[in-house]
Amino acid sequence: MPAIITDILKRQIARDFFDQFQNNTANYYVGISKSEQWDSSETVPTPVNNPETVGDFRDGMQSIKKIAGTSLVVPRNNWSNGRIYSQYDDRQQGYPANPYYVKTDNNQVYVCLETGRNALGVAQPSTIEPTGSNNHSFRTSDGYVWKFLYTISAANQESFQSSNFIPVQKQAPTDSSSTGIQLKQRSIQDNAVSGEVLSIIITDPGQNFTSIPTITITSNSGTGASATAAIDSATGQLSRITMDADSSTLKHGFGYGTALVSITGGGGTGAAARAVLPFSDSGVGSDPRVDLKTASVMFHSMLEGSDSDFLTGQDFRQVGLIKNPLDKNGLLFNQTTGNSLDKMTLSSTVSAFTRDKIIEGQTSLAQAYIDHLDSNEIYYHQTDATGFVAFQDGEVIDETNGAGQGIIDSSLIKGEVDRDTGDLLYIDNRAPVSRSTSQAEDIKIIIQF
């Protein structure tokens, strides 16, 4: 039986993630994993969505850090001179090939309500970057009609803007502490007009038109919208229909739940067109999450070189998103950072050990990768490659691929975080990232629905 998942459901799932974080009903952490090489040439594999991949990530997980912030996001479309932009269309499935919204150099976000067209009806490149923050739509001299939605603040740029995504939010009620950006977005939302006719799209150009026909927009509820047609004199067909304007104010009208477009006069026949109405009942600008079809959420955290639970002088190759991990005692972990590696202490060291080598117990034959060395402590992890045999207190361990040797005092001291707990929601494989005290990793995890 044919079926679809609607944009409404996708938005709701994304908002549920966002709301859980905002309302502190779930703890989200970024985790890093895998200090050992992918292979001899460090070829990064594509993660496979199965339990083995999840288990491998948990085996090598070094540390976790609480997510610092989250935001709904949409694909980033920088305004570019000479690019053709699609117009907002209530019948468009997903995103059109040409973007219908842009971010400008001033970090302002606009939605395109009407594509600029020439007298023949051919879509033209945008050559005038939209500016200003009017509450209502406006037409630029290249024929495009734009509607301002919001400005991305400097803080949101730093935390939630990437090369491919920009943050989106609905502005909550403002107060005396609100910024100018917040006040303006709230004004845009509050002044959004319900039931505007945003544009009119020709569905059949008709034939034999010798003069401009009359465009009539009828509805059982709306009023005030008007538009004008143009014809191609060479073909006798409609070439474009644009919304009328009174001075600089476009006549979108208001209150249209439905809108029927009639084309009469002009000597021609067969022409047809349809009206485009807002996605939201409250109008364009009332909720940019709806206008921009927001169905993705970004989680952000900064791994600082000074984070004590994160190893330096070591690298990682995987990043994960973990929901509600537990500590080693089985309680919900809620600290800012946590170490998840096992460690052993040595009663004596015969020859120095080296990180990334493999150690083996002479009695147990257990093996593990060395992640970190701290005085008489060895932080380690085991994988399918090493096996999961337990080391024994008092046994001698040697490096299988090095000169290190020592005697174990305590073979298993669990990390703060139980790495086998929590829902692992996301895994990103990448080239090795080396950590040092002088650097920070800006982690942005994007989940798309």
Side-chain angles (χ1 to χ4, degrees), residues 30-46:
V30 60
I32 60 172
S33 182
K34 195 171 179 62
S35 60
E36 70 273 20
Q37 289 183 320
W38 290 116
D39 57 25
S40 59
S41 59
E42 289 285 15
T43 303
V44 181
T46 300

Side-chain angles (χ1 to χ4, degrees), residues 9 50 63 66 204 258 341 343 348 361 377 404 425 428:
L9 177 57
N50 62 23
S63 309
K66 185 170 283 190
D204 190 328
T258 59
L341 290 169
K343 73 176 179 180
S348 65
E377 297 177 335
L425 307 178
D428 176 18

Side-chain angles (χ1 to χ4, degrees), residues 115 167 421 431:
T115 300
T421 64

Side-chain angles (χ1 to χ4, degrees), residues 137-154:
S137 63
F138 59 94
R139 179 175 279 118
T140 49
S141 59
D142 55 7
Y144 277 79
V145 174
W146 300 97
K147 175 73 166 65
F148 172 75
L149 296 182
Y150 63 95
T151 300
I152 304 171
S153 69

Side-chain angles (χ1 to χ4, degrees), residues 10-69:
K10 294 177 182 179
R11 286 199 304 268
Q12 186 59 57
I13 295 172
R15 288 188 201 178
D16 286 345
F17 271 90
F18 177 76
D19 290 342
Q20 284 181 359
F21 181 87
Q22 294 297 104
N23 298 328
N24 293 315
T25 56
N27 290 334
Y28 288 96
Y29 286 83
V30 60
I32 60 172
S33 182
K34 195 171 179 62
S35 60
E36 70 273 20
Q37 289 183 320
W38 290 116
D39 57 25
S40 59
S41 59
E42 289 285 15
T43 303
V44 181
T46 300
V48 178
N49 186 14
N50 62 23
E52 181 182 26
T53 299
V54 172
D56 289 346
F57 181 94
R58 293 187 188 278
D59 292 340
M61 192 168 76
Q62 301 170 14
S63 309
I64 65 173
K65 185 170 184 178
K66 185 170 283 190
I67 293 295

Side-chain angles (χ1 to χ4, degrees), residues 107-124:
N107 292 302
Q108 294 179 311
V109 179
Y110 297 82
V111 62
C112 174
L113 301 186
E114 198 174 293
T115 300
R117 298 180 182 276
N118 65 16
L120 301 180
V122 178
Q124 297 298 292

